[in-house]
Amino acid sequence: MLRISHLLNMMRTSLSSKKAIFQATGTKSNDKLRDLLSEILKVYNAGKLQTIIAKQFPLEELSEAHRFIEKGHKRGNVVIANT
């Protein structure tokens, strides 16, 4: 079960190393997912969670997005926009 401690460890890891590993599955009940979302929202609302976007690609450039990620130099998330 993913707990706030896992999220905090992931955030701590991202500050101390190049990559953080985050795993989640779709096997959790709606009640558990609601609780997890509530915990994440508390962290976000406290200003302790930032979303960092490295680059945005249109859906038509999906292969370029993969090449960008595979280079291993990205800092942040890659967004694919279906516009």
Side-chain angles (χ1 to χ4, degrees):
M1 171 170 32
L2 179 66
R3 296 179 187 242
I4 192 71
S5 62
H6 293 107
L7 178 62
L8 295 174
N9 282 336
M10 180 188 73
M11 292 168 54
R12 181 182 49 78
T13 301
S14 69
L15 296 174
S16 63
S17 64
K18 278 188 136 181
K19 296 185 180 190
I21 297 172
F22 179 74
Q23 296 178 346
T25 66
T27 60
K28 298 191 183 327
S29 70
N30 285 342
D31 288 337
K32 289 187 182 194
L33 290 173
R34 199 171 291 113
D35 290 343
L36 291 172
L37 179 58
S38 177
E39 290 181 39
I40 291 171
L41 286 173
K42 286 177 190 173
V43 173
Y44 175 78
N45 288 332
K48 297 179 181 178
L49 182 64
Q50 293 181 333
T51 302
I52 300 171
I53 306 297
K55 196 163 183 177
Q56 182 172 335
F57 293 89
L59 184 59
E60 298 79 26
E61 297 177 16
L62 187 60
S63 59
E64 288 183 43
H66 277 278
R67 282 191 289 276
F68 177 75
I69 293 168
E70 287 173 351
K71 289 180 183 177
H73 301 295
K74 75 177 186 72
R75 297 276 186 173
N77 296 301
V78 172
V79 174
I80 308 300
N82 186 12
T83 55

